[in-house]
Every structure is written in C-alpha cells, then in structure tokens.
Amino acid sequence: MSGSRSGDRRSAARGDFILFESLKLQNALIPCLAKRQDEEVFRSLAGALGRCFPLLRGIAGWADSWGQYSIVSDHSGEKTSLMGSDWDKLPGSDGWSREPVAISLPSSAGAPSVTSFVIPFRDGAAVVGFLGLEAAAAAPGEAPDDVTVAILSGAIAPLSALLLERIRESRLESMREMTATALQRSERRFFDFIEGSHDMIYIADGQDVIALVNRAGEELLGRPKREILGRHFSEFCHFGVDRAFFLDKLHHDGFARDFEETLTRADAEAVFVSESASAQRRPDGSLVEIHGIIRDITERLQSQKALWESNLELAAANSELKRTQLAMVQQEKLASIGQLAAGIAHEINNPLGFLISDFRALGDAATSLAATLPGESEGHPGGPLGDLISELPVIIAEMDDGFRRIKEIVVNLRTFARSDRDGAFSRYDLDDGLRRALVIARNEIKYVAEVVLNLGAPGEIEANAREIDQVLLNLLVNAAQAIGGENRGVPGRITVSSGLAEGLAWVEIADDGPGVPIESATRIFEPFFTTKDVGKGTGLGLSISYDIVARKHGGTLSLLNPGTAGAVFRVELPAAKGLKDGDAAT
C-alpha cells in the first residue's frame, strides 16, 4: 500500500512539475506573438524555446505568403530554406496531433540530420508552421525526454489556436499588402500607358459624359482636363450627327473600329480623327461605359488631299496635253489644206491671168471689128452679124465680171491660206479679215442665209493673221450650219458687226438659228463637245478658236445669249498700240 501511495505521490509531483514548467514556458512564448512579421514571430519563439531548454535547441519553421519554406534555430539564428519535399514530411490532415511528432529534418546549422520533436500548425489541410526541439550540436545523440516533450506540448497546446489565428492574420495582411502593391503597380502601369500614349484615350459613362481623358486628349482638343471632364462628348464634335451615328453603332454592335469624325478644338479649328471604341452594355443593350482611343488623322488627310490634287493636276495636264496634241493635229491638217489651197490658187491664178489678158484683147478686137463693118446706121451694122456684134459688149461685160470674181476668190484664198508657220504677229485689219472669210465661206452661206454687214471699222490689231482668219471662218461656218440644220426652206440671216470700244476691237457674228441650250452653254468651248448631228462636226472648231483668241492673243470669245433663239458670238481683241476709240473710223 505504501508503495502505491508513494508512486501516486511521485506521479502527482511529476504532473505538477510539468504543469508548472508548461505555464512558465507559455509565459515566455506569449510575448513572441506580438511581433509584426512572421519571421520575427518564429525567430522569437525558437529563441524562447532555447532559453527554457538550455540543453536542447529550439527550432521553428514557417511558410511565407510567397510559398517559401524556412527553418530557424535559436543557436545560430541562421535561416535555412527547406525543400518542398521536406516540408511535405510534416503531418497532414490525418497526422494532426497536439502531441509533438518526431521527425528527421535538416539541421539549421548545416550539421547532419537529427531527430526533432515538432508541433505543426495547419490552416485547413496546409501546414503553415511548426515549433519544436532538437538535440544540440554538442550532443547530437541527446534527444528530448518524455518530461521535456510533455512540457513542450503542455505549453504550446493552449497557444495553438492563438498562434494559428496570428499566422492567418499575418498571411492575410501579407496578401493584402501584396494585393495593394500589385494594385498600385497595375494602376501605375495603367496610368503610364494612358498618359504616355500619343493618341487620345478617354472613358465616358453611359450618357457619353467624359469621366477620364489623357494628356494627348488635352492636346488634341486644345483644352485642360477641367474643361473636358464632366461634359458630353458631342460638345466637342463638329457635326453632331456623327456622334449620334457612332453611339448608335455602339448600342448595336458593342464596338466601333476606325470611325472617322471631325472634332473642334478650343480655337475653333477642325481636327479630323479616327476613333475605335468598345462599350460595356447591360443585358438590354443600354450603355454602361465607353472606352475609346482617338487618333489625329489631319496630316494624313492633308497628305491624301495633296495627293488627290496632284493627281487631278496630272489628269488635267494630261487632258490639256491630249487636247493640245489634237489641236496641233487639227492645225497641221488645216495648215496642209491651206498650203494645198494656196498651191491650187497659184495654179489657177497663172492661166486665169492669160485668160483675162486674152479676153481683153478679144474685146478690143471685137470693138474694132464692129467699127469697120458697114451697117444700116453708122457704127451699127445690120443683119445677123450686126446683131451678134451688138451683143458683144454685154457678153464681154458679164464675162469680165465673172473673171473679176474668180480673181477675187483666188486672191482671198491665197491670202487666207498663207503659211505664217513661224507664228509671228503683225498688223491685222479685222474688217478685211471678215471680208476674206465671207468670200471663203460663201459656198456654205449662200444656200441657207443672207449676210448683213454692220462693219464699224475697228481698225488693226496685233495678231497672227492665219489664226484670226481661221477663227472668223469657223464662226461664220458654224452660223451657216446652225441655220441650215433647221431645213426651214427660206433663207435665214447672219449679221456680222464690228467696232472698237475701250481699247478692244470687237466682232459679233449673230444668226437666227436654233441657238445654244443653257445646259450646253458651259461646255461649247470644250474639246470634242458639239451640238451637231453625228458625222457633221468634230467638236474642235470652237475649242481651237477659243484657244487662239484667249490664250494666244489675250482676248475673249464668248456666247452672249445662251438659252435663246439664235446665237451671238463675240470676239474681243486688244487694239494695236496707239489706236484709240474712233481712230479707226476716221
């Protein structure tokens, strides 16, 4: 009995000792939990364990928020990294126990592995840390005894929930700090991206009110942010209908790509831009927010405009070149015809001179013969021969008139068809030119119209005679063809007038034909435009005439009465130097 009671007393004393030492160790560990960082907490805990058990080494291990596993001892204070495989050796979900667990871990001091007694702390299934004891380097075979293990378990077990909560809070705080740091970094990257962009970037709400804009947007709109934020985007649009169409597209498709529109700067200058945007929409399709990027394309459009203008100029130059080439071909044809006509006139002129000379000799001989023949009365012989001789003067007079007219046509044709290939200017009398042109055009005119002359003696001009002759002939022939095209059965009328006014010699050629419709009036001087039937006109006559008068002689050729019956064309050319109004008439 005495032995049993003695054993109970020893057991009770042992229990009291363990409880006392556990409370003592617990009091040493509690202040360590007030440290801020996990590493500081576990270093302090390892140090407290080492101080309470001088013959052993206090150890602590933890997993930080980055997934790094570390172990530290109170002896060296050095932190040693653990491999994930070593950390996985700690008890898992079905190995959890509040009793210390014997496990072999690498020594924190780099010594061979020793047996450690540790108490792991789990957050769910994951082990987040442990506390324990191991043999000191001086006595690697010395392991904690049962009393030491009991003291360790008794001290830590009541603190496990508090320590685990402290670890959780620390990890959450670390996560919050990491999240805040990442968020700040993300915000900074976003800000740098937005502000560093050379294109305008903006965010607007569902009502298209601008909530954010970058520095490039300020420069594009020529306004500070305070004058942009809180305003409807349409206030900066040059054409409100553009923005309405853009928003409608966002409602329908949820995005818009390369939408071109025109914005207005603070200085009222128009800016041409291209916008791409996406929209956050509610299920009903209404807009929540608009994210847009706008690029200034003014320079690009100006370059395109310059290119278009250059192309138009090239096209116009090409058209002018073709027109000039065709005009030159026509001029060469006319010059060739003129040379041919001049040659024919020359060939006609020589035998015509012989005929006129011989005819006059024949007339003189007939008169002498009539004077020598006897007749019923003096100077007038009788009978058939006398009748024939008496008719000779009339016949001779008619033939003389015919020869005169032939000679006039030949002379005018030679004058009109002279070459003037050097393009030299000389004194030119407009009235003489009109008379020559009327002689040449007589065959076109005589069957369709009568000519009324109202020549006011405009005098001389400085001109290329062949070219001005051609202009006058073209206008007369056009007038005759316009009247003839009506097939009216009775002659029409062509009125030719001339005069001098304000230093300009002028000619007007009017006809009573159908006139020129208003829709054709603006094109009648264009190459190849004609109102005549197919095959009856090339459309080059008026074009060449306009080029001769306006470009080569500095004058004007115009239609005075478009859209009315009859056509009146007026040619104005600078009078010769020193000639004033009224000088030519005198």
Side-chain angles (χ1 to χ4, degrees):
M1 289 290 291
S2 61
S4 175
R5 286 195 296 272
S6 175
D8 291 340
R9 285 195 295 272
R10 285 196 300 272
S11 177
R14 182 174 179 273
D16 291 341
F17 176 76
I18 291 173
L19 177 61
F20 175 78
E21 290 297 325
S22 295
L23 292 173
K24 180 180 175 181
L25 176 60
Q26 190 177 97
N27 289 332
L29 295 177
I30 287 175
C32 299
L33 301 181
K35 301 295 183 180
R36 179 174 177 81
Q37 300 294 331
D38 287 354
E39 182 174 345
E40 294 177 352
V41 171
F42 282 96
R43 280 185 179 276
S44 298
L45 291 173
L49 289 173
R51 287 190 295 274
C52 291
F53 300 100
L55 298 179
L56 298 172
R57 179 182 296 162
I59 59 173
W62 70 96
D64 61 22
S65 300
W66 303 99
Q68 299 294 323
Y69 309 118
S70 303
I71 184 172
V72 69
S73 74
D74 70 302
H75 177 71
S76 65
E78 295 179 357
K79 182 174 69 173
T80 304
S81 296
L82 286 178
M83 299 296 292
S85 58
D86 294 328
W87 192 262
D88 292 340
K89 295 177 183 178
L90 295 173
S93 59
D94 49 11
W96 171 251
S97 173
R98 292 187 180 275
E99 296 297 327
V101 178
I103 190 170
S104 179
L105 292 174
S107 173
S108 61
S113 299
V114 296
T115 299
S116 302
F117 290 87
V118 299
I119 296 178
F121 300 97
R122 294 170 53 250
D123 186 6
V127 178
V128 296
F130 66 84
L131 293 175
L133 296 169
E134 66 181 13
E142 191 75 25
D145 57 17
D146 293 343
V147 173
T148 300
V149 171
I151 293 172
L152 177 64
S153 178
I156 295 177
L159 299 178
S160 59
L162 181 62
L163 180 59
L164 185 59
E165 184 64 25
R166 170 65 183 77
I167 292 173
R168 287 172 179 168
E169 290 181 359
S170 176
R171 290 171 65 87
L172 288 175
E173 180 63 25
S174 297
M175 292 299 294
R176 282 193 293 267
E177 290 179 358
M178 287 189 296
T179 301
T181 301
L183 180 60
Q184 290 177 354
R185 187 164 54 248
S186 177
E187 288 177 347
R188 172 53 58 184
R189 285 199 301 265
F190 176 75
F191 179 81
D192 292 343
F193 169 74
I194 294 294
E195 291 299 320
S197 173
H198 294 292
D199 297 329
M200 173 179 174
I201 299 177
Y202 76 94
I203 297 176
D205 63 16
Q207 304 301 317
D208 203 27
V209 175
I210 300 175
L212 179 146
V213 67
N214 65 345
R215 185 164 48 247
E218 295 181 274
E219 296 174 357
L220 182 67
L221 297 176
R223 303 169 185 270
K225 288 185 179 180
R226 66 177 180 274
E227 296 182 9
I228 300 174
L229 300 179
R231 297 176 63 179
H232 285 272
F233 196 101
S234 58
E235 296 182 39
F236 306 108
C237 293
H238 198 73
F239 303 105
V241 65
D242 287 348
R243 194 62 183 178
F245 182 79
F246 176 80
L247 293 176
D248 184 67
K249 184 171 178 62
L250 288 181
H251 275 287
H252 185 268
D253 300 332
F255 70 93
R257 185 178 293 113
D258 298 330
F259 182 84
E260 295 188 3
E261 55 190 332
T262 307
L263 303 182
T264 303
R265 291 171 48 86
D267 57 7
E269 179 185 353
V271 182
F272 300 99
V273 299
S274 175
E275 178 174 359
S276 295
S278 62
Q280 295 181 0
R281 297 182 293 175
R282 297 184 181 90
D284 62 358
S286 59
L287 299 179
V288 177
E289 199 167 70
I290 302 170
H291 302 164
I293 300 178
I294 298 177
R295 174 165 296 178
D296 186 353
I297 60 172
T298 303
E299 290 186 3
R300 190 190 80 190
L301 291 183
Q302 289 175 344
S303 299
Q304 290 178 346
K305 180 182 177 183
L307 180 61
W308 294 337
E309 290 176 348
S310 177
N311 289 337
L312 289 175
E313 290 175 359
L314 287 174
N318 187 48
S319 178
E320 176 67 14
L321 178 61
K322 289 182 178 180
R323 188 190 69 79
T324 302
Q325 289 174 338
L326 290 170
M328 289 177 64
V329 170
Q330 187 72 1
Q331 293 276 23
E332 288 297 322
K333 288 181 179 179
L334 291 174
S336 298
I337 293 172
Q339 289 179 338
L340 180 61
I344 293 173
H346 180 72
E347 293 300 322
I348 293 175
N349 191 54
N350 289 334
L352 180 61
F354 300 150
L355 289 174
I356 292 175
S357 177
D358 292 344
F359 174 73
R360 288 175 179 171
L362 178 61
D364 293 341
T367 302
S368 299
L369 179 62
T372 60
L373 290 176
E376 298 177 354
S377 61
E378 186 178 350
H380 295 284
L385 182 60
D387 293 336
L388 178 60
I389 292 175
S390 65
E391 292 176 2
L392 280 177
V394 176
I395 295 172
I396 290 173
E398 290 178 352
M399 293 181 68
D400 185 60
D401 182 64
F403 282 128
R404 181 190 58 79
R405 290 171 63 183
I406 293 173
K407 186 173 182 63
E408 182 181 359
I409 291 173
V410 169
V411 171
N412 285 323
L413 184 60
R414 291 180 65 189
T415 302
F416 186 83
R418 63 183 179 271
S419 176
D420 288 345
R421 295 188 67 86
D422 59 356
F425 277 43
S426 59
R427 292 275 180 163
Y428 178 89
D429 190 293
L430 272 176
D431 281 355
D432 288 346
L434 284 169
R435 293 187 183 96
R436 285 195 299 272
L438 284 169
V439 171
I440 301 301
R442 182 173 181 277
N443 191 60
E444 285 281 348
I445 298 173
K446 66 181 180 180
Y447 298 111
V448 296
E450 60 181 17
V451 178
V452 178
L453 291 177
N454 293 321
L455 303 182
E460 294 181 333
I461 60 173
E462 295 286 342
N464 182 299
R466 179 179 61 83
E467 292 180 341
I468 298 302
D469 283 344
Q470 182 180 335
V471 170
L472 299 177
L473 180 61
N474 284 346
L475 295 178
L476 288 169
V477 171
N478 281 351
Q481 291 177 347
I483 295 172
E486 291 187 303
N487 299 318
R488 61 177 67 173
V490 295
R493 174 176 293 184
I494 298 175
T495 304
V496 181
S497 306
S498 64
L500 181 69
E502 298 180 356
L504 294 175
W506 59 268
V507 172
E508 286 185 4
I509 297 176
D511 64 71
D512 60 354
V516 180
I518 292 179
E519 60 271 17
S520 301
T522 57
R523 301 187 58 197
I524 56 174
F525 297 115
E526 295 180 6
F528 305 108
F529 180 79
T530 179
T531 58
K532 299 174 184 177
D533 295 335
V534 177
K536 294 187 177 181
T538 64
L540 288 172
L542 285 177
S543 173
I544 292 174
S545 298
Y546 185 87
D547 183 70
I548 290 173
V549 173
R551 189 172 66 86
K552 296 183 178 180
H553 289 77
T556 60
L557 172 59
S558 56
L559 173 66
L560 300 184
N561 60 335
T564 63
V568 181
F569 285 90
R570 183 181 179 95
V571 177
E572 293 183 343
L573 293 164
K577 293 181 179 180
L579 189 63
K580 302 179 181 178
D581 297 0
D583 289 353
T586 59

